[in-house]
Amino acid sequence: MPDPIDPNYLRETQRIIAAVPNGPWEPVTNDYGVPDAVGPISYLETASDEYQVPVVQLVQHAREALPRYVGEVSRLRTVVAHLERRLREQTRAEGGGRNDR
């Protein structure tokens, strides 16, 4: 499983996303009818033609998906921080979390 996303890494990802042209990025076909460009990415080469279309589709999808994922991570971090704060407050209000059995 990957390591948790560091807040600085998340901010850097947001900065990079904001710096690129807005999507959606549509595939562009070459003279042979095969997609080999996506948005501002002007040439795409893969080791095999059978992988070229899936790679183009990945880049096209990622341009829209990545900002959404980053936004969701940011939103969930805010929710978690709020819940942790409430839990600490509740624990203090109940006597510091001691078990009085």
Side-chain angles (χ1 to χ4, degrees):
M1 184 162 187
D3 291 333
I5 296 175
D6 176 87
N8 291 328
Y9 183 82
L10 184 59
R11 280 191 292 279
E12 177 66 6
T13 302
Q14 291 169 324
R15 185 195 65 72
I16 290 169
I17 290 169
V20 299
N22 290 332
W25 290 355
E26 298 299 326
V28 178
T29 57
N30 61 23
D31 293 340
Y32 304 103
V34 178
D36 69 353
V38 182
I41 300 171
S42 62
Y43 180 72
L44 180 68
E45 182 178 352
T46 61
S48 168
D49 288 343
E50 75 180 86
Y51 296 119
Q52 194 158 342
V53 171
V55 169
V56 168
Q57 289 171 338
L58 172 68
V59 172
Q60 179 186 15
H61 179 77
R63 176 59 191 101
E64 297 298 309
L66 185 60
R68 294 177 73 180
Y69 293 141
V70 169
E72 183 67 3
V73 167
S74 296
R75 185 188 72 77
L76 290 174
R77 283 186 172 195
T78 301
V79 169
V80 167
H82 174 73
L83 292 173
E84 287 174 337
R85 193 168 38 257
R86 286 184 57 194
L87 181 60
R88 282 192 304 274
E89 291 168 0
Q90 183 178 359
T91 301
R92 272 185 288 224
E94 294 174 354
R98 291 182 305 222
N99 192 349
D100 295 328
R101 289 186 196 185

